[in-house]
Amino acid sequence: MIGKTISHYRIISLLGKGGMGEVYLAEDTTLNRKVALKFLPEMFTSDSERMARFEREAKLLASLNHPNIAGIYGLEKTDDTRFLALELVEGDTLADRLKRGPIPVDEALKFALQITEALEAAHGKGVIHRDLKPANIKITPEGKVKVLDFGLAKAFAGETAASELSNSPTLSDAATRQGVILGTAAYMSPEQARGKAVDKRTDIWAFGVVLYEMLAGKALFAGEDITSTLARVLERKPDFRSLPANLHPKINDTLERCLVKEAKNRCHDIADVRIEIQRVLTDPNGVSVKSVTGVEPRPKLRQMLSWAARTVVLIAIAGSAVWILKPMQPEPKRVVRFEYELPPGQQLAGGIAVSPDGSRFVYGTTNGLFLRALDALYARRISGTDKDSVQPFFSPDGQWLGYFSQSDNKLKKVAISGGAPQVLCDTSAGIAGASWDSEETIVYSDLVKGIMRVSANGGTPEILVEGNIANGAKEGFPVFPQMLPDGKNLLFTNAFNMSEFNNNQIIVQSLKSGKRKVLFKGGMYSRYLPTGHIAYTLPASNTNIGNYFAVSFDLDKLEVTGGPVSVLEGVAAGSSPDSGTLVYVPGPSGMTGAAGPASTLNTLVWVDREGKEETLGAAPKNYQSLNISPDGSKVALTVTDTGNMDIWVWDLSHQTPTRLTFDKADDDSPVWTPDGKRIVFGSNRGKTIGGIYWRSADGVGEVEPLGARPNRLIIPRSFSPDGKFLVTTEVLITATSVGTNIGMVSMEGNRGISDLLKEDYFELVPRISPDGRYMAYESDESGTDNVYVRPFPDVNGGRWQVSNNGGNSPLWSPDGRELFYRNGDATLAVDVETGPAFTHGNPRVLFRGTYLSGNILKVTSTPWDIGPDGKRFLMIKPPAATVSDSSTAGQTAAAWQTKIIVVTNWFEELKEKVPGP
């Protein structure tokens, strides 16, 4: 960059770089003045929504015009480069000045006065600094203070910006966003450290911390690491004993008012602080209180005091000897909890991982993996990851992140500092847990082959523990592996039925002999901790929400030495800590009840083409699949209760439910016959993995089998209009692979089952058009899921890709003139013509909203349908918290999917609840 001319700025030298980008000294060749250019990070400028937000915020920041605030000259753009032109301020930062020790009281107060004047001017404009610290305060050679980077923390933080200005938030008020830990840890206000909403009082706190440091010559809350620093900010009372002994009492009082941990009891306006400092600076008696001269003691009294002093010294020496002989017990570290709420528009999906040193964590969202350092200014998306990047895990040194890519069934790694992801190996159909247990190797559970080991540099995986998913229900299947510290034994869960967790086995197995030992039964996600415990989750019902348990474990004997103890309740997802920092997603309150966990109490809602919702009226339950009857009078539903799936029918006119199946097996994916008399569904009853059955829709008569195929899970999807054919998704399961194809059942004669579309891709969710001439379906042949159309039944007579950036769960409009599909939170429509030849238009978004998606449950669920009038859709909506406008479906997100709990020094709590071996 040095020596280049960008726009009308000639770059002279590098001034510094950090998380907010690089700063260069440059010359403005138009105005002949020196400026500072701050180049924004690439991961920031590539986010169009964040840049739109930043540009609007920058306009407000540029309006700040005060002699103690470094100004913003402009936000520039050249090609793909975005940078800020800033006022160049000569001199040292306050951080540089403090390296030389405490600042004299009168000088420190003069600096402080100028800082308050800068804050007062900014707060008057509705701008909060959010990152006030000595490094952001410059002192010119003339002794003038300039506060830098005013408001940039908010601008950089990455709030989701509306694409239309009419929907953007008002920038002139001081309302702030929640959930982002802004600022350097030692200067954060307690509400910042907890990820809560902040206002101008957070700047008042930071000012108090800075003033203390100027007077005392040392930081107020700095610890040996991030977690201890945050703990001190949240829990420790300020210690004023390091302040000058003769400090003016008004300054002591002012500092105490600035450093109240509860924001509502803190000084509310920086102007009040400015006034107090001005009074002290203009006090005729000076900024310090003179010491009172004592009366000289008489000789005898002086001798007595001298003898007493010597006695105290001797006692102290004796006491010291005792302490030297008796080792001091280290003070237990303080356990600190705080919440981090995701920015609006982000929704958790895909897992959580915490770094080995506990200083950062990664969470998956519908937009990719995000990295969050505990003391960082903002979470940043890890380049190269997307909505299909799931199950993240850290390398032992914390510099790499491994994850599974659902789009291409590959295990990958990416440097947390940035760069292109690297493929480690292919997997059969997915993974169930991975662990980077040494610098050289990674162990993971392949959903078909069993537990595998692969080089951390990539290569051909080797099988450590064989698994057979076809026999998993009988023999168990090995998942969530971890190599124990001895490098000789493997800890994993032998999972049976995913809805019956009490049957699972937590196992340790020798890599050399293959001999395995069942440590105990029940639970999932087990992990050995360096405290000598095995922690695991016992989910409630058929969900991932449950309690976190721990048992003491003797690593040498490979034996459990105590009973299980519940150490954490209501965990929806999380990452077991190796460092003592626990990160998890809490489940909602009121988790138990006859209908199952509260988090699974979904609701059924009608959503029109503009996204307006109307509740169906059915009681909240764990709904998973649905299909509307041909006449639109009833809805067939899959409902899970106490771990068992059954088919129910909801009568729309009478608002009454009727249970259709009662077997202990799982019955799922109901489809009405075209005449509306029967309902076909998939079930694992009998001796097959999953066949198809039907029953009269009014419940009369018995359930009858329609057909099954060896080693195949058959899922009914759609009838031809004449009722002669039923198309299905077929999941073929062998000992070495899993694949999906589209099958066809002839409903006449002997009801034979045959392959309809069988290729080397995952083909799913076939839907026959209303005229019976075409079939829409989902396939990953492009590398990601998209919607395609083929002729029916001659599927080789043509092929058209209808979606262009991903899509799943296609639906035809009743008149066959439109095709609908889902993609993330968006519902899209495509105009189509089916005669004389098939043609289609470009996709358009109808509405956005948080509803169950076929992209997550695509093999076993069809979580939406369209009414016979073609005007509204029936959707399954998870428990939601309105983020913004409650009338807009696109502004909702599941409450338990937007909050993360961080617990530092959690091992202290664990050891107290569950003593080690």
Side-chain angles (χ1 to χ4, degrees):
M1 296 287 289
I2 297 174
K4 292 184 178 180
T5 298
I6 298 180
S7 183
H8 55 280
Y9 299 100
R10 184 175 60 83
I11 298 177
I12 299 172
S13 63
L14 178 67
L15 294 176
K17 58 183 178 180
M20 288 189 184
E22 297 179 340
V23 182
Y24 289 88
L25 170 65
E27 180 183 6
D28 184 337
T29 57
T30 301
L31 299 177
N32 295 323
R33 63 178 176 182
K34 296 290 196 306
V35 297
L37 300 185
K38 181 185 286 287
F39 287 84
L40 308 185
E42 181 181 354
M43 62 92 183
F44 182 88
T45 57
S46 61
D47 188 332
S48 59
E49 290 187 345
R50 180 178 280 187
M51 277 306 302
R53 169 75 180 179
F54 185 88
E55 290 175 2
R56 294 192 292 273
E57 196 70 30
K59 292 178 181 178
L60 176 62
L61 302 180
S63 69
L64 296 179
N65 184 14
H66 190 273
N68 296 118
I69 297 176
I72 296 179
Y73 294 151
L75 177 60
E76 308 287 347
K77 178 179 180 180
T78 301
D79 298 327
D80 294 329
T81 303
R82 304 303 300 269
F83 59 94
L84 286 167
L86 306 170
E87 177 185 356
L88 179 67
V89 182
E90 303 288 350
D92 293 334
T93 66
L94 182 57
D96 297 327
R97 173 63 181 81
L98 285 168
K99 291 176 182 178
R100 302 195 293 269
I103 300 174
V105 175
D106 56 345
E107 186 179 0
L109 293 182
K110 290 177 182 177
F111 292 159
L113 180 63
Q114 296 180 72
I115 297 171
T116 62
E117 290 173 342
L119 292 173
E120 186 177 359
H123 291 177
K125 292 274 192 177
V127 177
I128 305 165
H129 195 292
R130 290 176 176 78
D131 192 24
L132 185 68
K133 57 188 177 184
N136 278 337
I137 300 169
K138 277 252 188 169
I139 303 172
T140 69
E142 298 78 27
K144 188 173 185 177
V145 166
K146 286 274 190 178
V147 181
L148 312 179
D149 288 350
F150 236 111
L152 287 187
K154 180 181 181 183
F156 271 94
E159 270 185 316
T160 300
S163 59
E164 296 181 4
L165 290 177
S166 60
N167 294 326
S168 65
T170 302
L171 298 179
S172 59
D173 64 23
T176 63
R177 58 191 297 261
Q178 298 185 30
V180 179
I181 303 175
L182 301 173
T184 302
Y187 303 91
M188 290 179 182
S189 64
E191 58 268 27
Q192 272 182 304
R194 295 183 188 277
K196 298 295 186 180
V198 299
D199 57 24
K200 61 185 180 181
R201 290 170 295 184
T202 203
D203 282 350
I204 295 175
W205 169 279
F207 168 81
V209 177
V210 171
L211 177 56
Y212 176 96
E213 189 169 347
M214 285 195 288
L215 295 170
K218 64 178 183 179
L220 178 55
F221 293 111
E224 60 272 15
D225 54 29
I226 294 170
T227 56
S228 63
T229 298
L230 287 174
R232 292 179 181 185
V233 170
L234 293 169
E235 303 290 341
R236 180 174 292 187
K237 293 182 178 180
D239 184 359
F240 297 109
R241 290 175 296 180
S242 296
L243 295 173
N246 59 346
L247 188 63
H248 198 292
K250 285 186 179 295
I251 298 301
N252 274 308
D253 292 342
T254 299
L255 275 173
E256 290 181 7
R257 292 175 61 203
C258 291
L259 296 172
V260 176
K261 293 189 184 294
E262 187 65 43
K264 66 181 180 180
N265 298 325
R266 194 180 304 150
C267 180
H268 278 41
D269 202 302
I270 197 68
D272 297 332
V273 179
R274 173 183 57 78
I275 292 170
E276 291 301 323
I277 294 175
Q278 282 179 330
R279 287 175 178 172
V280 172
L281 285 172
T282 57
D283 190 328
N285 297 317
V287 298
S288 301
V289 178
K290 292 182 172 59
S291 301
V292 178
T293 304
V295 178
E296 180 71 16
R298 288 174 292 179
K300 186 174 182 180
L301 179 60
R302 192 163 54 240
Q303 291 174 2
M304 292 176 63
L305 290 173
S306 177
W307 175 83
R310 287 196 300 271
T311 303
V312 170
V313 171
L314 290 173
I315 294 174
I317 292 173
S320 298
V322 174
W323 281 107
I324 291 170
L325 293 174
K326 182 180 180 181
M328 295 182 64
Q329 297 297 321
E331 181 181 351
K333 296 181 179 179
R334 187 180 295 274
V335 179
V336 178
R337 284 175 166 80
F338 57 88
E339 295 179 358
Y340 165 58
E341 293 196 20
L342 272 63
Q346 278 191 12
Q347 181 179 335
L348 290 170
I352 294 177
V354 61
S355 64
D357 64 359
S359 67
R360 65 192 77 186
F361 61 91
V362 163
Y363 59 92
T365 75
T366 52
N367 295 318
L369 299 175
F370 280 75
L371 178 69
R372 179 85 181 141
L374 297 189
D375 67 340
L377 288 170
Y378 49 85
R380 62 177 178 86
R381 191 174 73 86
I382 298 177
S383 60
T385 65
D386 55 25
K387 62 182 176 62
D388 291 321
S389 304
V390 298
Q391 301 190 55
F393 55 97
F394 275 94
S395 62
D397 62 5
Q399 299 305 305
W400 290 84
L401 193 73
Y403 65 94
F404 173 64
S405 174
Q406 293 183 132
S407 61
D408 53 11
N409 286 335
K410 296 181 186 297
L411 195 67
K412 299 180 180 181
K413 71 175 183 179
V414 63
I416 64 171
S417 58
Q422 301 176 25
V423 174
L424 298 177
C425 63
D426 293 327
T427 68
S428 300
I431 71 170
S435 182
W436 202 321
D437 290 301
S438 72
E439 295 291 344
E440 294 83 19
T441 59
I442 294 169
V443 294
Y444 66 95
S445 173
D446 185 293
L447 281 177
V448 173
K449 298 179 180 178
I451 295 177
M452 316 292 290
R453 179 166 58 189
V454 68
S455 167
N457 295 317
T460 302
E462 62 172 319
I463 297 178
L464 297 181
V465 180
E466 289 189 355
N468 186 341
I469 194 169
N471 296 324
K474 298 178 181 179
E475 302 173 2
F477 191 84
V479 294
F480 304 107
Q482 178 196 10
M483 193 74 70
L484 291 177
D486 60 11
K488 301 177 182 178
N489 292 281
L490 195 67
L491 179 72
F492 62 91
T493 301
N494 196 39
F496 289 85
N497 191 323
M498 291 298 287
S499 63
E500 298 177 4
F501 295 103
N502 289 330
N503 293 333
N504 294 342
Q505 301 168 333
I506 307 301
I507 285 178
V508 62
Q509 178 167 326
S510 168
L511 294 182
K512 183 177 181 180
S513 66
K515 183 179 180 181
R516 65 171 57 179
K517 178 192 293 187
V518 178
L519 300 178
F520 54 90
K521 290 186 176 182
M524 291 282 280
Y525 319 116
S526 61
R527 183 143 187 108
Y528 174 77
L529 305 179
T531 55
H533 297 87
I534 291 177
Y536 63 97
T537 301
L538 185 60
S541 185
N542 68 313
T543 73
N544 287 337
I545 299 177
N547 293 345
Y548 202 41
F549 286 81
V551 295
S552 57
F553 179 70
D554 189 320
L555 185 61
D556 295 327
K557 297 180 179 180
L558 299 178
E559 293 179 354
V560 171
T561 59
V565 177
S566 177
V567 293
L568 194 63
E569 295 182 353
V571 178
S575 179
S576 299
D578 290 331
S579 63
T581 298
L582 175 67
V583 180
Y584 70 96
V585 179
S589 59
M591 289 184 54
T592 59
S599 67
T600 61
L601 299 185
N602 306 317
T603 55
L604 300 170
V605 293
W606 289 109
V607 185
D608 69 15
R609 297 169 72 96
E610 285 73 43
K612 294 180 180 178
E613 293 181 2
E614 178 186 344
T615 303
L616 181 70
K621 290 180 179 293
N622 188 356
Y623 302 109
Q624 293 183 345
S625 303
L626 61 85
N627 187 241
I628 301 173
S629 64
D631 63 2
S633 66
K634 297 179 178 66
V635 181
L637 301 159
T638 300
V639 181
T640 299
D641 189 9
T642 63
N644 191 66
M645 290 190 291
D646 281 298
I647 308 301
W648 289 68
V649 175
W650 178 261
D651 189 311
L652 292 171
S653 58
H654 296 93
Q655 297 283 290
T656 54
T658 301
R659 185 171 176 177
L660 193 68
T661 65
F662 299 85
D663 198 273
K664 292 183 179 180
D666 286 330
D667 302 323
D668 189 21
S669 303
V671 178
W672 293 85
T673 56
D675 60 10
K677 294 181 179 180
R678 291 177 174 268
I679 296 175
V680 179
F681 58 91
S683 178
N684 61 357
R685 61 181 72 198
K687 298 181 180 180
T688 63
I689 296 175
I692 50 175
Y693 300 77
W694 68 357
R695 188 180 189 184
S696 174
D698 58 10
V700 176
E702 299 297 322
V703 171
E704 300 177 26
L706 288 178
R709 303 179 81 178
N711 298 325
R712 300 197 189 204
L713 171 65
I714 303 180
I715 306 166
R717 290 306 187 200
S718 175
F719 274 98
S720 60
D722 57 13
K724 294 182 179 180
F725 300 100
L726 171 69
V727 290
T728 65
T729 297
E730 292 195 355
V731 184
L732 177 62
I733 302 173
T734 69
T736 58
S737 66
V738 170
T740 65
N741 302 312
I742 294 175
M744 184 170 66
V745 181
S746 172
M747 301 304 294
E748 299 178 325
N750 62 2
R751 296 173 187 160
I753 305 176
S754 60
D755 293 329
L756 180 63
L757 181 60
K758 186 177 181 181
E759 296 184 335
D760 293 332
Y761 311 112
F762 278 76
E763 297 97 9
L764 306 158
V765 201
R767 299 274 192 168
I768 299 176
S769 62
D771 62 6
R773 300 179 57 201
Y774 294 92
M775 179 182 72
Y777 66 100
E778 175 186 340
S779 173
D780 66 348
E781 64 180 271
S782 65
T784 189
D785 293 325
N786 272 297
V787 174
Y788 296 82
V789 171
R790 288 177 183 257
F792 178 83
D794 180 18
V795 294
N796 295 318
R799 183 183 63 85
W800 302 268
Q801 181 176 327
V802 174
S803 63
N804 50 23
N805 289 307
N808 60 80
S809 303
L811 283 177
W812 294 91
S813 64
D815 62 5
R817 303 293 297 274
E818 287 179 295
L819 193 59
F820 308 101
Y821 64 90
R822 303 288 309 283
N823 187 9
D825 67 348
T827 297
L828 299 96
V830 179
D831 293 326
V832 298
E833 292 287 344
T834 58
F838 180 83
T839 60
H840 65 91
N842 294 322
R844 64 186 186 280
V845 175
L846 289 183
F847 59 86
R848 295 183 180 273
T850 303
Y851 308 102
L852 287 196
S853 171
N855 193 46
I856 299 173
L857 303 168
K858 60 188 179 184
V859 173
T860 61
S861 175
T862 47
W864 71 316
D865 202 358
I866 188 169
D869 61 2
K871 295 180 179 180
R872 57 182 185 170
F873 303 87
L874 187 59
M875 317 286 283
I876 301 174
K877 183 176 180 178
T882 299
V883 176
S884 180
D885 181 2
S886 61
S887 66
T888 304
Q891 296 298 321
T892 60
W896 63 275
Q897 292 179 304
T898 60
K899 180 187 295 184
I900 295 174
I901 304 296
V902 179
V903 187
T904 63
N905 301 320
W906 180 71
F907 282 166
E908 301 298 326
E909 184 177 289
L910 174 64
K911 288 183 288 187
E912 183 177 340
K913 291 183 176 181
V914 191

